[in-house]
Amino acid sequence: MLSPLTRRNLTLSYGYAACAFFGINTLWVIFLQQQGLSLVEIGLCESVFHLTSFLSEVPSGVIADRFGYRPVLIISRLMAIGHALIMLTAHSLGWLLLAFILQAWAYNLQSGTIEAAQYDSLVNTQATQHYPRVTTILNTTIEVADTLGVVLAGWLMPQHLSVTYWVYLAAALIAILAISGLHVPQRQLTKTHSTQPSLRTILRAAAHLLVTQRRLRLLMIFDALFSALGTTYYYYFQTVMTAQHFSGRLITTILIASMALNIVAIQLTPWLQRHQTQHQLLYGLCLSMIMALLSAFSHAIGLLVLIYLVINSLMALIEPLFSNYYNQLIPNGQRATLLSVASMVFSLAMISAFPLIGWLIQRVGFAVTFGSCGLLTLIALLSLYGYARRRARPALKTITNH
């Protein structure tokens, strides 16, 4: 049984997540197109976001481990408010790039911090066995909030997308109020300044764990590459909606269908973890992504929409899956730092992928670009499989000889 304080902490964290991830500003690609930006300039904005995120992820995680989760989460939403204000008033690329820097800091400061706060709350009451269920609820909350925000944005298309940033700003203020009531775990409260680990100590311990934990490193790399492919498809599909003149009603229908499938995928995660090994799940995810991307070669609009739904479901599934994998491998006191490292690796993948794919879409089209991504991913997977088999043969011969 969870203690009343733990339940309260979890409830507040769910409320914060619902406001912080309310996807009202998710159609930012369409918004920037309306502002006159090309796909290359839009890709540059996203690259600046991820470059900032890459440089800031580990420091933000260290700060959360050093100074506590609540102040970091509050500052995150203050950065989000700054982002919204600039997006509402900016008329030049330079100001828009600054807006994406602030958005990156908002993302960095909460990335992994909510999960770390939840897990530490459970550790404090020796209830970590509940974490798979907690992370499932968290990701379901995020998914519902994100999709409801996008649905609302779809209703506001195309004339009133600026309203979405006012709603985003209001949601950030509500999130600050929610997280202000978060109770810091007792282990943080009882430490004096002199007994708290230094930033250098936290970084050295985290680096040592990454060096010695090969499994953790490989999980982070897989997560980053898989998420980069899914994220680029998700955002650049907005250009397809614009080019094909999707109505607000059609966009809303697609988004509601996506939300329903994503919730199903999230709810399936604990069952999949019980019935399949980690290797089986990762191979299954990779093959599903490859098949979806290869299908894009058909150019059929209906199939591209179906691929969008499938990829979104896969992205929804991996969030609680990898959150559970990471938290099982990461010790207390380094959790926010190392979860930030995972986000940093994702940012590194996105820095080059997003503008490159945007450039390719302008040259050869959306369908050919993502179909080629699927083909390259298949070649990479077959190469890795062949390499693994070649490495396994000497070991098998040694065992046979003995």
Side-chain angles (χ1 to χ4, degrees), residues 138 221 223 232 315:
L138 175 66
I221 293 170
D223 188 13
T232 52
M315 294 287 288

Side-chain angles (χ1 to χ4, degrees), residues 97-274:
L97 292 176
L98 176 60
F100 278 84
I101 290 173
L102 293 180
Q103 180 76 331
W105 285 336
Y107 166 76
N108 293 150
L109 291 167
Q110 74 181 23
S111 173
T113 306
I114 302 174
E115 294 90 337
Q118 288 184 328
Y119 199 86
D120 272 11
S121 293
L122 296 172
V123 168
N124 206 46
T125 55
Q126 298 181 341
T128 54
Q129 71 274 14
H130 294 286
Y131 186 71
R133 179 61 182 165
V134 168
T135 192
T136 297
I137 295 173
L138 175 66
N139 282 279
T140 301
T141 301
I142 291 171
E143 187 59 44
V144 171
D146 180 61
T147 307
L148 287 177
V150 182
V151 168
L152 179 56
W155 288 340
L156 294 169
M157 281 184 60
Q159 292 86 6
H160 306 292
L161 272 183
S162 60
V163 176
T164 63
Y165 284 95
W166 286 109
V167 178
Y168 179 69
L169 191 154
L173 290 172
I174 296 171
I176 290 173
L177 292 175
I179 209 63
S180 296
L182 183 72
H183 177 77
V184 180
Q186 191 65 31
R187 66 175 188 84
Q188 293 184 17
L189 286 173
T190 55
K191 288 182 178 179
T192 64
H193 180 77
S194 60
T195 58
Q196 287 179 334
S198 65
L199 301 183
R200 182 179 179 183
T201 301
I202 294 172
L203 279 174
R204 289 181 64 181
H208 175 74
L209 187 66
L210 277 176
V211 170
T212 57
Q213 280 272 19
R214 180 174 178 269
R215 181 182 171 196
L216 182 61
R217 295 198 308 272
L218 293 177
L219 283 172
M220 288 181 177
I221 293 170
F222 180 96
D223 188 13
L225 296 176
F226 189 94
S227 297
L229 273 175
T231 302
T232 52
Y233 192 99
Y234 175 81
Y235 282 120
Y236 279 126
F237 188 75
Q238 293 178 27
T239 65
V240 176
M241 295 188 206
T242 303
Q244 297 297 321
H245 305 291
F246 282 18
S247 66
R249 181 176 297 179
L250 178 57
I251 292 174
T252 300
T253 302
I254 293 171
L255 294 173
I256 291 174
S258 176
M259 178 182 69
L261 290 173
N262 291 357
I263 291 173
V264 170
I266 292 170
Q267 296 299 321
L268 278 174
T269 304
W271 182 87
L272 289 172
Q273 286 185 273
R274 288 195 301 268

